[in-house]
Amino acid sequence: VNWSDAVAYCNKLSDRENLPHCYKGDQFVGLGCRGYRLPTEAEWEYAARAGTTGARYGDLDALAWHKGNAGSTTHPVGQKQSNPWGLYDMLGNVWEWTNDWKRDYTDATSDPLGPDSGRYRAYRGGGWFNLSDSVRAARRSHFEPSSRYDFIGFRPARTVP
């Protein structure tokens, strides 16, 4: 899916639960929105780490599909070990779109929100075709939002009311 497909899905999921849309077209309403949205990069990494401090929350083969064990394809979610918070496939399998435009980390800002605009959207986590050193909580990359590949997916999020 491309980034716009992912946010359209989030809006449809919000409709299903009678929640407000977090996107007007491709424009993000803001973190105060109570509907479904894509996580920020900071939220995504926080969820992926699940209270751990290392690059991964366990043995790579036990928790992630990567180039060494995926057989060159994606796999159904939940076949590998979850992280300590019970979230599956935070690392490996498919990269995941985030809400944020790409930004360079040049300071020690805590819980940053991406810029208001840009050319590329950020995605996180590594995928089934990546070598093991790319499948980790801090791994990030970017594509134009219209990019659509079989190795990029998404994970809806919500702001806790």
Side-chain angles (χ1 to χ4, degrees):
V1 297
N2 66 31
W3 188 89
S4 297
D5 292 339
V7 300
Y9 181 91
C10 289
N11 279 346
K12 287 184 185 285
L13 191 55
S14 294
D15 285 341
R16 191 171 125 191
E17 296 187 23
N18 295 314
L19 296 168
H21 286 187
C22 290
Y23 300 92
K24 304 287 186 208
D26 284 350
Q27 295 297 311
F28 181 50
V29 172
L31 290 176
C33 178
R34 296 187 59 203
Y36 287 91
R37 60 181 175 78
L38 296 177
T40 66
E41 280 199 84
E43 289 171 328
W44 189 96
E45 187 169 333
Y46 182 78
R49 288 186 184 279
T52 65
T53 57
R56 300 181 189 97
Y57 43 84
D59 174 69
L60 180 62
D61 284 335
L63 61 91
W65 295 109
H66 57 87
K67 188 170 187 155
N69 68 2
S72 300
T73 189
T74 57
H75 293 270
V77 173
Q79 295 183 343
K80 294 289 188 175
Q81 173 186 325
S82 70
N83 74 9
W85 292 349
L87 300 174
Y88 291 90
D89 294 312
M90 291 298 295
L91 307 179
N93 207 11
V94 296
W95 290 84
E96 295 182 5
W97 286 115
T98 68
N99 185 69
D100 293 349
W101 290 101
K102 178 195 177 282
R103 77 179 278 244
D104 293 327
Y105 290 150
T106 57
D107 58 22
T109 302
S110 177
D111 201 16
L113 186 60
D116 292 333
S117 63
R119 179 173 178 194
Y120 303 105
R121 291 286 185 174
Y123 55 89
R124 301 294 298 256
W128 55 263
F129 65 92
N130 289 111
L131 295 172
S132 61
D133 63 340
S134 292
V135 181
R136 56 190 176 86
R139 183 68 171 147
R140 58 196 294 263
S141 195
H142 58 275
F143 271 128
E144 291 182 351
S146 62
S147 299
R148 181 187 316 267
Y149 296 101
D150 63 351
F151 56 81
I152 302 178
F154 66 98
R155 183 181 305 258
R158 281 189 62 204
T159 299
V160 177

